[in-house]
Amino acid sequence: VSNDENRDAFYKYHEFTVSGSQTESVELKRPFAQLNIGTNDFVASEKAGHKVTHAMVEVPAYSTLDLVSGEATGDVTTAVLFNYAAIPTTETFPVSGYQYMAMNYVLMKKSQETFDVTFTYATDENGANAKSRTVGSVPFQRNHRTNLYGQLLTSDVAVNVEIKPEYDDAFNNEGFFVTTNTNGKI
């Protein structure tokens, strides 16, 4: 489903030689691009008779990640469907003045690629009064945030897309430490 924080993950393949008691510092990174979709016209949409409460997202994504090489593979010609979920109401959208419609973690390659994104918003979890919108050539890159935002519910033209580099806030720069087993792999 869409808006599932439990799908977030971090990893790093790190090989080293054990030479006694030691500490290895390992920086974990997301193998995903985070796609954030936000709007600033929930109130206008509700006044027009369309109270949006749920959203789903379709976007191409890779299906396999080789944890040793770091390569993502799979068929990206077919979009992955992140099914209807309630609009997040307690999270703050990364761009001031906008509210979340959807957030998804999408398995991507290390290099930037562009894909079309379709999001559907409805008045309940079953898709009642659903309306869809497709935004073309949206940039994605592993361990980056893609913010797609604008007057998405009531306007046909006001859409902004930006890709932000690695997660550079204090929450995401916490250190990760691991202990080793005898063969030196974690």
Side-chain angles (χ1 to χ4, degrees), residues 28-44:
L28 304 177
K29 293 191 176 188
R30 287 175 172 89
F32 306 110
Q34 182 181 7
L35 172 62
N36 300 307
I37 300 174
T39 192
N40 63 355
D41 57 354
F42 276 115
V43 173

Side-chain angles (χ1 to χ4, degrees), residues 25-28 170-178:
S25 293
V26 178
E27 182 181 359
L28 304 177
F171 176 77
N172 292 295
N173 287 330
E174 295 176 358
F176 293 92
F177 298 95
V178 295

Side-chain angles (χ1 to χ4, degrees), residues 58-63 74-82 106 108 115-116:
E58 291 180 77
V59 61
Y62 292 92
S63 58
D75 177 17
V76 291
T77 59
T78 304
V80 172
L81 175 65
F82 294 91
V106 184
M108 284 290 145
F115 296 104
D116 294 351

Side-chain angles (χ1 to χ4, degrees), residues 9-73:
F10 299 85
Y11 92 102
K12 172 73 176 178
Y13 180 81
H14 179 74
E15 198 168 323
F16 58 95
T17 302
V18 176
S19 59
S21 181
Q22 66 192 58
T23 300
E24 292 286 322
S25 293
V26 178
E27 182 181 359
L28 304 177
K29 293 191 176 188
R30 287 175 172 89
F32 306 110
Q34 182 181 7
L35 172 62
N36 300 307
I37 300 174
T39 192
N40 63 355
D41 57 354
F42 276 115
V43 173
S45 179
E46 187 173 348
K47 285 181 180 177
H50 194 251
K51 182 178 180 179
V52 175
T53 62
H54 288 73
M56 74 176 182
V57 176
E58 291 180 77
V59 61
Y62 292 92
S63 58
T64 305
L65 177 65
D66 183 321
L67 294 175
V68 176
S69 71
E71 290 300 317
T73 58

Side-chain angles (χ1 to χ4, degrees), residues 4 30 52 58 65 85 88 92 97 100 104 110-111 129-130 132 153 164 171 174 176:
D4 188 354
R30 287 175 172 89
V52 175
E58 291 180 77
L65 177 65
T92 302
Y100 267 107
N104 294 289
K110 293 177 187 176
S111 58
N129 304 305
S132 291
L153 304 177
K164 294 287 191 173
F171 176 77
E174 295 176 358
F176 293 92

Side-chain angles (χ1 to χ4, degrees), residues 46-150:
E46 187 173 348
K47 285 181 180 177
H50 194 251
K51 182 178 180 179
V52 175
T53 62
H54 288 73
M56 74 176 182
V57 176
E58 291 180 77
V59 61
Y62 292 92
S63 58
T64 305
L65 177 65
D66 183 321
L67 294 175
V68 176
S69 71
E71 290 300 317
T73 58
D75 177 17
V76 291
T77 59
T78 304
V80 172
L81 175 65
F82 294 91
N83 213 344
Y84 282 113
I87 301 287
T89 57
T90 59
E91 300 291 324
T92 302
F93 193 75
V95 178
S96 180
Y98 293 87
Q99 296 171 286
Y100 267 107
M101 283 183 58
M103 182 283 305
N104 294 289
Y105 293 104
V106 184
L107 184 60
M108 284 290 145
K109 291 190 172 194
K110 293 177 187 176
S111 58
Q112 184 174 314
E113 297 180 85
T114 59
F115 296 104
D116 294 351
V117 174
T118 300
F119 55 95
T120 304
Y121 45 97
T123 57
D124 71 14
E125 68 276 3
N126 297 315
N129 304 305
K131 296 181 181 182
S132 291
R133 185 167 195 166
T134 300
V135 178
S137 300
V138 176
F140 288 92
Q141 188 171 352
R142 179 182 300 170
N143 206 46
H144 285 58
R145 288 180 176 150
T146 296
N147 298 320
L148 190 155
Y149 60 97

